[in-house]
Amino acid sequence: MSNLTHRIRAAALTGLGTAAALSLLVACGEGDTATKDKGVASLKSPSASAGSASASATSESGRPQLRLDTTDAERGRLYGIWTNCLHDHGVPAGHKPGSTAWSLAGDIRKYPAATRACLSKRPIEPPELDPAKNPHYMDDFRKEIKCLNDGGLKVKGLADGSGWNYDGVSGLTQAQEDTLRHKCELEAYR
């Protein structure tokens, strides 16, 4: 089972439609359960589910491909399309205050028909962020962790490159943290 990247989590906090996708992914067990609590991992995920290369290629066919420079608004829009599809196929949802995007409340593992029906709308994370597609992933990951720390977001990278833990309070606002994460991701994985 894959885990949601801290990149999506960051976009979810700032993007309009992505908040719905985040709550959906957290509810379904594919989500990033990280908070700013010390010792809680923020996990990355490969863009394809575990399995054979042919299964991955088939599941990714026609899906929207995110890029490193995808804006939060575009990310939110694309995840909103996927979330709306899941809701239309029976996954329980509601609206968060001030939002028109669905916030899915159900565990989508309980809705395999909806998951299959909407797979073609689920965005694929950038290939640079997928260890299976990026031969320099670990070097890039270490650059990202250094950049985050140099920018004041106290984190410790996990040895396997699957994510990082907060390592203290940074003093950064959410907007500053989001900007720093985006900057470091662009610098490290390009």
Side-chain angles (χ1 to χ4, degrees):
M1 185 181 319
S2 64
N3 292 301
L4 182 63
T5 69
H6 67 267
R7 292 163 186 81
I8 294 173
R9 181 184 151 283
L13 297 172
T14 58
L16 297 174
T18 312
L22 174 66
S23 63
L24 161 72
L25 292 173
V26 170
C28 74
E30 292 184 48
D32 175 1
T33 57
T35 64
K36 284 193 173 188
D37 295 336
K38 291 180 186 176
V40 178
S42 178
L43 301 173
K44 299 177 185 252
S45 71
S47 60
S49 58
S52 70
S54 62
S56 295
T58 302
S59 68
E60 292 181 0
S61 178
R63 290 172 55 193
Q65 174 68 62
L66 300 176
R67 299 183 338 221
L68 285 175
D69 62 354
T70 299
T71 65
D72 289 343
E74 180 64 5
R75 182 181 294 272
R77 185 186 73 76
L78 292 170
Y79 271 98
I81 291 168
W82 179 53
T83 302
N84 288 338
C85 178
L86 290 166
H87 174 260
D88 291 346
H89 284 85
V91 179
H95 291 290
K96 291 198 180 218
S99 174
T100 58
W102 289 108
S103 176
L104 297 168
D107 179 344
I108 65 169
R109 291 176 295 185
K110 295 179 181 177
Y111 302 90
T115 302
R116 282 189 304 275
C118 299
L119 179 62
S120 66
K121 293 174 175 35
R122 182 178 179 191
I124 301 168
E125 285 299 302
E128 296 90 347
L129 304 179
D130 185 344
K133 295 178 182 175
N134 178 354
H136 307 286
Y137 178 83
M138 286 305 295
D139 290 335
D140 296 344
F141 174 73
R142 285 187 282 276
K143 288 177 195 172
E144 178 186 23
I145 296 301
K146 181 178 181 339
C147 178
L148 291 170
N149 280 296
D150 289 350
L153 183 66
K154 302 170 183 174
V155 298
K156 283 189 179 181
L158 300 177
D160 65 359
S162 64
W164 44 263
N165 291 329
Y166 285 95
D167 190 32
V169 178
S170 69
L172 300 175
T173 66
Q174 187 63 54
Q176 290 169 327
E177 189 175 311
D178 293 341
T179 299
L180 177 63
R181 278 196 280 228
H182 184 69
K183 171 188 165 286
C184 291
E185 186 175 276
L186 286 172
E187 288 177 9
Y189 291 92
R190 287 217 167 177

